[in-house]
Amino acid sequence: MMKKQVVLLVAVLFLVVNVLLVALDDEGKVEQKAYISEWSPAMETDMAELLHKPGVLEPAEEWMVYFDDSLGSFQEFFVEEGTLVQQGDPLFAYEADNYAEAEAELTQNAETLRGEIAAIEEAIAQMEQYQIPSTQSESTEAALSSPLAPEPVEEASVQSADPAEAELMKEEYLIEKEKELSQKTAQLESIESSLAELQETGNTVVVESSYEGRVQSISESLADPVITIENIQLRAEGKLSEEERAEVEAGMPVEVSIKTTDTLIEGEITQVSDSPDSVLVEGESSYPFQVSLSEYTEEEGLLPGYHTGMAITLEESLGATAVYEEAVYDGAVWKMAENGILQQQAVDTGIYEDFMYEIKSGIEPGEWVAQSPTGQFRDGAVFITPLRAKEVPWRSIFRGGDWGENIITGMIAR
């Protein structure tokens, strides 16, 4: 019994002495070791901060067709609900009460459209001639002095844009104007066809479609609009909270998943409303947004009303350095230095995705960082780590002719 008490007392004294030696070692004479059981390497990967929102598919655009009963008496519809129509297809006919008035009305409408078409063509020509300056200062100066800015909104936007943004704005402007030109041209062709029909028959006007799409509704009572045509091109729509509205802007990429067909479609934010659905003193405001769908239409088996999931890319970092979140402690990591020392390294973190942090500065891909146990983390300590026999490349070790010498050298060094 006495022997056991002596052994226990010696062990306690040994422990206390070692603790005191370490605690009072101001000059670092006592070597401390850190036992690190879990390491992980910093990796190079693509990272993105995503905002997930539900949504629904809807027609990208709707057009209303009207009938002015003061011009004559309605005769018949040539389409039904659900009919797919092309530009120039007849929609309905009416009998003009007064030939001269009907002819004058159609002629005036045609002249108005010709003037609008000429203005659009001039705007396109001017924007095509506009040269984007190579620097932002030159861009601002040119925008302020250039007579070529077709619209005040475009001029103000170019003034605040850098060259790359200005080039993108120019392309988007031209695409929008070409679309508007095509629409106005189709309307003119429809009116000219109606005018020709009136002049041929003397009293009948056939109204043709200026649009390509599907007839969504027909008003049998002739209440305006008598026909609604919806674009077969689809878009997705969703809603944002107040906090989310501050983060989302037009141009952000979106991955849209269609739940019904298990389809993934690339898209882009095209519009974010600045006005909420309704203004409430109490309760959360919601802001509608729209997403284009890379030319997907109903012909691809998608229909308005299908529900979607949307992943909006708020921020993206390609080829980023990343580590698992368990390796980041209070803005720093503990990395394995080449001399076998555990070193604390401050890092600047960025995007968080899938339990990993982007590391903007502090470490490089391939460097190893400690994950656990945290109680062993001591800056400048020599670390030891368990040998994982399955991960050792034994064949490559024993294949070399000097492996025995290396083992003996290692044993002597320890």
Side-chain angles (χ1 to χ4, degrees):
M1 186 66 178
M2 180 65 70
K3 184 177 181 180
K4 289 184 179 181
Q5 290 178 343
V6 171
V7 171
L8 179 59
L9 180 60
V10 170
V12 171
L13 288 174
F14 177 80
L15 180 61
V16 170
V17 169
N18 277 275
V19 170
L20 289 174
L21 287 174
V22 172
L24 299 176
D25 182 35
D26 296 330
E27 299 180 2
K29 295 181 179 180
V30 178
E31 183 182 32
Q32 299 185 54
K33 289 184 172 60
Y35 176 80
I36 307 300
S37 59
E38 293 294 334
W39 297 88
S40 64
M43 295 168 281
E44 182 175 329
T45 184
D46 296 338
M47 300 192 71
E49 181 182 355
L50 302 177
L51 173 63
H52 295 274
K53 299 297 294 182
V56 66
L57 295 184
E58 64 174 12
E61 199 169 358
E62 284 188 343
W63 303 286
M64 311 299 180
V65 182
Y66 300 90
F67 169 59
D68 186 355
D69 58 9
S70 66
L71 298 177
S73 303
F74 187 87
Q75 288 186 329
E76 62 177 321
F77 286 109
F78 297 121
V79 294
E80 299 176 348
E81 291 184 0
T83 301
L84 291 174
V85 295
Q86 303 293 323
Q87 292 178 350
D89 287 352
L91 298 177
F92 63 88
Y94 66 90
E95 183 178 345
D97 293 337
N98 186 303
Y99 174 85
E101 289 183 3
E103 183 182 39
E105 177 79 14
L106 291 172
T107 301
Q108 179 60 45
N109 290 342
E111 287 301 317
T112 299
L113 282 170
R114 291 190 186 98
E116 293 175 353
I117 288 172
I120 295 172
E121 289 174 337
E122 177 66 17
I124 290 174
Q126 288 185 345
M127 184 59 78
E128 287 176 338
Q129 295 172 14
Y130 181 71
Q131 299 297 317
I132 304 296
S134 58
T135 65
Q136 187 166 5
S137 59
E138 291 176 1
S139 177
T140 302
E141 182 179 351
L144 290 170
S145 60
S146 173
L148 298 179
E151 296 181 359
V153 173
E154 292 301 320
E155 183 178 0
S157 299
V158 172
Q159 289 176 15
S160 60
D162 62 30
E165 292 174 335
E167 187 65 41
L168 178 60
M169 288 167 53
K170 177 180 176 179
E171 294 177 5
E172 292 176 344
Y173 177 85
L174 289 173
I175 291 173
E176 187 62 31
K177 284 299 179 183
E178 291 288 354
K179 179 181 177 182
E180 187 179 350
L181 177 61
S182 175
Q183 191 65 64
K184 294 293 184 181
T185 301
Q187 292 176 2
L188 177 60
E189 291 173 353
S190 175
I191 289 177
E192 289 177 336
S193 178
S194 297
L195 181 59
E197 182 77 16
L198 174 66
Q199 293 170 340
E200 182 179 343
T201 63
N203 62 354
T204 301
V205 178
V206 176
V207 177
E208 297 178 350
S209 176
S210 303
Y211 317 102
E212 180 179 347
R214 180 168 59 88
V215 177
Q216 192 268 333
S217 64
I218 293 177
S219 175
E220 298 290 348
S221 66
L222 303 184
D224 280 332
V226 291
I227 295 178
T228 301
I229 299 173
E230 60 183 18
N231 198 337
I232 61 173
Q233 171 70 40
L234 298 174
R235 69 185 178 197
E237 184 178 78
K239 295 183 179 182
L240 302 168
S241 68
E242 297 175 31
E243 292 77 11
E244 293 165 346
R245 176 63 187 86
E247 297 180 292
V248 176
E249 59 186 31
M252 287 182 171
V254 184
E255 185 178 75
V256 181
S257 58
I258 313 299
K259 299 178 181 180
T260 306
T261 60
D262 195 25
T263 304
L264 284 177
I265 306 173
E266 296 299 322
E268 181 180 292
I269 300 283
T270 54
Q271 182 179 346
V272 187
S273 176
D274 290 330
S275 301
D277 287 336
S278 59
V279 179
L280 302 173
V281 176
E282 297 183 2
E284 181 78 9
S285 298
S286 60
Y287 297 81
F289 68 95
Q290 297 172 358
V291 177
S292 62
L293 294 182
S294 306
E295 303 303 321
Y296 269 76
T297 69
E298 295 179 17
E299 297 175 355
E300 277 76 30
L302 306 180
L303 294 174
Y306 280 8
H307 286 83
T308 71
M310 293 182 283
I312 304 171
T313 301
L314 301 177
E315 186 180 355
E316 189 175 35
S317 180
L318 304 179
T321 301
V323 299
Y324 289 107
E325 62 179 336
E326 292 87 350
V328 181
Y329 301 92
D330 298 327
V333 297
W334 294 80
K335 71 178 185 179
M336 178 192 301
E338 293 182 358
N339 57 0
I341 299 298
L342 190 62
Q343 177 182 342
Q344 186 180 31
Q345 176 65 56
V347 293
D348 181 18
T349 59
I351 296 172
Y352 176 80
E353 180 189 12
D354 293 336
F355 308 106
M356 298 186 73
Y357 278 109
E358 174 196 10
I359 304 299
K360 294 182 177 181
S361 63
I363 59 173
E364 299 295 330
E367 292 189 280
W368 287 77
V369 293
Q371 290 188 197
S372 66
T374 58
Q376 291 288 312
F377 292 175
R378 291 186 287 273
D379 192 28
V382 175
F383 65 83
I384 56 175
T385 188
L387 174 67
R388 293 180 173 86
K390 293 182 179 180
E391 299 179 13
V392 177
W394 297 106
R395 292 186 178 181
S396 62
I397 292 175
F398 291 106
R399 190 174 298 161
D402 57 353
W403 61 270
E405 179 182 347
N406 290 337
I407 291 177
I408 295 173
T409 301
M411 294 175 64
I412 294 174
R414 300 304 295 175

